[in-house]
Amino acid sequence: MSKKAKKRSNSLKIPTIIIYTAKFLQSISPKLLTKFAARLFTTPMRHKMPKREFEMERKSKQAKLFVPSIGKEIVTYEFGDAAKKVLLVHGWSGRGTQLVKIAERLTEEGYSTVSFDAPAHGKSDGKTTLMPEFIASILEIEKHFGPFEGAVGHSLGGMSLLNAVKRGLKIDRLVIIGSGDKISDILTEFVDRMRLKHKLVDDLRTHFEANFNKETMESFSAYIAAKEVEIPVLVIHDNDDAEVPVKCAIHIQKHLKNGELLLTKGLGHRKILGDPEVIERTIDFIEKQAI
């Protein structure tokens, strides 16, 4: 792993005080530990918006949209006024303006974009969320702003879009960037970072599945959704991604009926969103499929 990748991996570190608290709860009450860990797992960080996103934020038409199926309100962004629309979906702890460089290039090519702050992200209300709420938001946005020519998703946003297509989202092509794959692996990595016993993985799964309307947590894995996706999908991932292993992209692409794979180097998990080659391949893929 490169020095840059190692440095980026620091963003995954959990504060020592939280780890000590979790270990204490592990020693006295598995139930309290599960509740504590579940809260931590479902709470994203609200990062300060960088200057590169200011113009998109300023020029976008913003509105609040209520998502009935989850009982939450989200903030939406319409960027550009072209009739052809592309849906953009940020990842965990992201924002509706995070894919700004891709949005700007799409508008140059005659598209407009629609994006949103997922529940508990950006300007949207709430403190906790999970992928099913990302998916519900996507499907509700389609009702109000669709149809969409295509969609681009980063990290959890890509996983959510694959699941949304599986559940009826009508788009002609999809690009996912830096997306995770198996839910079980994501839970295991979280527990490992907490330095806790692996029994917590099963306890968390049981805890979350109580709210999933009879769907197992693992059923939201990207590779499982990919099996039912018929449209063309471009899977982009960096070999030096310290947050999501590149093996995830390779596994997802293997299960797609019509999937392409682009691997980059030295860009990590977030810098990849502004890379000129990645952006041009994304635009070309969308335009190619539109012909």
Side-chain angles (χ1 to χ4, degrees), residues 97-113:
T97 53
Q98 191 171 21
L99 278 66
V100 57
K101 295 300 181 182
I102 294 172
E104 289 173 345
R105 281 292 292 119
L106 283 166
T107 59
E108 290 173 5
E109 295 299 322
Y111 295 88
S112 60
T113 67

Side-chain angles (χ1 to χ4, degrees), residues 169-187:
L169 174 66
K170 298 293 189 297
I171 53 177
D172 295 327
R173 52 269 179 201
L174 171 61
V175 180
I176 64 171
I177 305 171
S179 291
D181 183 18
K182 298 179 181 179
I183 300 298
S184 57
D185 287 350
I186 294 171
L187 283 174

Side-chain angles (χ1 to χ4, degrees), residues 45-278:
M45 294 180 64
R46 296 185 195 252
H47 297 291
K48 183 178 179 181
M49 182 184 293
K51 290 183 179 179
R52 62 179 174 273
E53 298 176 24
F54 284 2
E55 186 172 6
M56 181 178 176
E57 197 274 341
R58 181 177 62 84
K59 290 186 175 180
S60 294
K61 178 182 177 182
Q62 299 178 35
K64 292 185 177 181
L65 176 66
F66 183 70
V67 184
S69 62
I70 59 174
K72 293 186 178 183
E73 193 172 65
I74 59 174
V75 173
T76 61
Y77 301 80
E78 293 179 86
F79 186 57
D81 55 11
K84 295 188 298 182
K85 299 177 183 179
V86 175
L87 176 62
L88 306 179
V89 184
H90 66 77
W92 189 253
S93 295
R95 303 160 299 282
T97 53
Q98 191 171 21
L99 278 66
V100 57
K101 295 300 181 182
I102 294 172
E104 289 173 345
R105 281 292 292 119
L106 283 166
T107 59
E108 290 173 5
E109 295 299 322
Y111 295 88
S112 60
T113 67
V114 175
S115 57
F116 64 100
D117 293 333
H121 288 75
K123 299 178 182 179
S124 293
D125 294 334
K127 293 183 179 180
T128 63
T129 191
L130 272 176
M131 194 202 304
E133 295 190 344
F134 272 65
I135 299 166
S137 299
I138 290 167
L139 296 175
E140 190 66 26
I141 282 173
E142 182 187 30
K143 295 177 185 177
H144 292 266
F145 298 98
F148 295 105
E149 301 287 323
V152 183
H154 175 239
S155 197
L156 181 64
M159 297 180 72
S160 300
L161 281 166
L162 282 169
N163 276 279
V165 172
K166 173 183 174 181
R167 290 162 174 77
L169 174 66
K170 298 293 189 297
I171 53 177
D172 295 327
R173 52 269 179 201
L174 171 61
V175 180
I176 64 171
I177 305 171
S179 291
D181 183 18
K182 298 179 181 179
I183 300 298
S184 57
D185 287 350
I186 294 171
L187 283 174
T188 299
E189 190 221 5
F190 171 74
V191 171
D192 284 343
R193 286 193 285 121
M194 294 279 287
R195 304 175 202 168
L196 299 169
K197 296 177 181 177
H198 275 197
K199 180 181 180 301
L200 180 59
V201 174
D202 292 331
D203 292 342
L204 284 171
R205 184 184 294 111
T206 299
H207 175 84
F208 290 133
E209 286 179 356
N211 301 310
F212 278 180
N213 297 320
K214 298 182 180 179
E215 289 189 81
T216 65
M217 200 169 183
E218 196 63 23
S219 70
F220 290 92
S221 294
Y223 83 96
I224 292 176
K227 295 176 183 179
E228 298 185 39
V229 173
E230 304 281 347
I231 62 171
V233 180
L234 174 60
V235 181
I236 305 176
H237 211 106
D238 192 73
N239 279 295
D240 298 316
D241 190 325
E243 296 190 23
V244 181
V246 69
K247 67 179 182 180
C248 295
I250 296 169
H251 193 235
I252 292 169
Q253 194 268 337
K254 278 184 179 179
H255 288 85
L256 288 164
K257 295 179 176 65
N258 191 357
E260 297 181 25
L261 180 64
L262 170 63
L263 299 182
T264 60
K265 187 170 179 60
L267 298 175
H269 190 62
R270 294 178 180 82
K271 187 178 177 182
I272 193 170
L273 295 175
D275 179 72
E277 180 187 355
V278 169

